[in-house]
């Protein structure tokens, strides 16, 4: 796959996993973020990155921390106590 290094980056990999876990679609996420389906597809394949505002909205949509999405944490929880224990 072209750009494999970007495709397997932390953010695109976690985004794909969250989409699958929530059993939702790129289109549904795009509608929630009020952006194009193509933009979400680019986030998912690593050829594009969301700005901070979109990153926060994605984190809220999936109920995970932004730190988790970008690889600063391995714990998806938004609960600080849970993250500290882990």
């Amino acid at each position: 796959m072209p750009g494999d290094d970007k495709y397997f980056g932390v953010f695109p990999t976690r985004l794909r996993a969250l989409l699958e876990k929530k059993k939702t679609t790129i289109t549904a996420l795009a509608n929630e973020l009020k952006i194009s389906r193509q933009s979400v597809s680019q986030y998912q394949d690593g050829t594009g990155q969301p700005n901070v505002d979109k990153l926060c909205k994605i984190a809220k949509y999936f109920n995970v921390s932004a730190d988790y999405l970008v690889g600063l944490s391995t714990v998806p929880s938004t609960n600080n106590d849970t993250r500290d224990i882990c």
Side-chain angles (χ1 to χ4, degrees):
M1 183 164 220
D4 277 350
D5 54 331
K6 291 180 182 180
Y7 182 82
F8 292 109
V10 173
F11 177 74
T13 299
R14 289 187 175 171
L15 180 60
R16 288 190 304 273
L18 289 166
L19 284 163
E20 186 175 316
K21 182 178 180 181
K22 189 168 179 159
K23 296 183 184 347
T24 192
T25 64
I26 293 171
T27 302
L29 180 56
N31 289 339
E32 180 72 21
L33 299 175
K34 296 178 179 31
I35 60 175
S36 70
R37 185 187 179 290
Q38 181 182 12
S39 292
V40 176
S41 182
Q42 289 173 342
Y43 300 165
Q44 179 182 259
D45 68 19
T47 59
Q49 296 180 342
N51 62 26
V52 174
D53 179 56
K54 296 295 186 251
L55 180 67
C56 290
K57 288 179 180 179
I58 292 167
K60 284 182 182 180
Y61 182 76
F62 290 110
N63 195 32
V64 298
S65 70
D67 284 354
Y68 173 75
L69 285 172
V70 299
L72 295 176
S73 171
T74 57
V75 181
S77 176
T78 58
N79 181 305
N80 288 335
D81 292 336
T82 302
R83 284 199 313 254
D84 290 345
I85 291 168
C86 293

